[in-house]
Amino acid sequence: WTVHSAGAIAAVASRSGDIMADNRHTIVLLQLTKNRSSRTFMDYEKTSLAMDAICSMFEKRLKEMYPERREIDYEVSDLYNYIDALGDLSALVYDPSINAYAPQNKEWIKKKCFAHLKKQAGGGR
């Protein structure tokens, strides 16, 4: 299987966050549907790993929706729509300056996912 992100990845965008912020422990809180029983969490040593997991969930969903396709292209807006359609999605990112986890919302996650995909496509630095 090959899944390609296209379009907006090539667009010029400012990279949010700094390199050190990527090294922060991140807990993703996820509710797939409106049903509260679909709540779960995922634990990652780095923010980039958490964003990779969110993008991978979306790509897995695309593969389920289009099993006959060998390659699937998508725009960043498709990923954003997927994130918006989730029952809930947020992240808790460890902040050593306060020795606590700072909550982050869907908009923050979208920005981080975009930066992650841009970096994977060779456009981030």
Side-chain angles (χ1 to χ4, degrees), residues 8-111:
I9 296 299
V12 175
S14 63
R15 188 168 172 196
S16 58
D18 58 83
I19 301 291
M20 291 305 293
D22 178 54
N23 291 326
R24 295 182 179 170
H25 185 254
T26 303
I27 300 168
V28 175
L29 305 173
L30 171 67
Q31 183 174 322
L32 292 171
T33 67
K34 300 227 183 264
N35 188 339
R36 296 182 101 179
S37 68
S38 70
R39 285 181 176 174
T40 190
F41 73 94
M42 301 175 290
D43 185 79
Y44 300 95
E45 289 302 312
K46 298 170 79 174
T47 301
S48 63
L49 295 174
M51 298 308 110
D52 187 57
I54 291 167
C55 293
S56 293
M57 283 178 17
F58 171 61
E59 291 170 359
K60 181 180 176 192
R61 179 69 182 125
L62 288 176
K63 290 174 188 176
E64 291 169 354
M65 292 170 57
Y66 305 104
E68 72 286 352
R69 295 188 185 171
R70 288 194 151 290
E71 290 190 4
I72 301 171
D73 293 321
Y74 66 88
E75 299 289 327
V76 171
S77 61
D78 298 323
L79 173 62
Y80 290 175
N81 290 335
Y82 170 78
I83 289 171
D84 287 336
L86 291 172
D88 198 8
L89 180 66
S90 58
L92 299 172
V93 181
Y94 183 72
D95 184 345
S97 69
I98 60 172
N99 196 29
Y101 286 84
Q104 304 295 342
N105 62 18
K106 284 183 179 182
E107 293 306 312
W108 181 90
I109 291 171
K110 287 180 197 177
K111 288 176 187 172

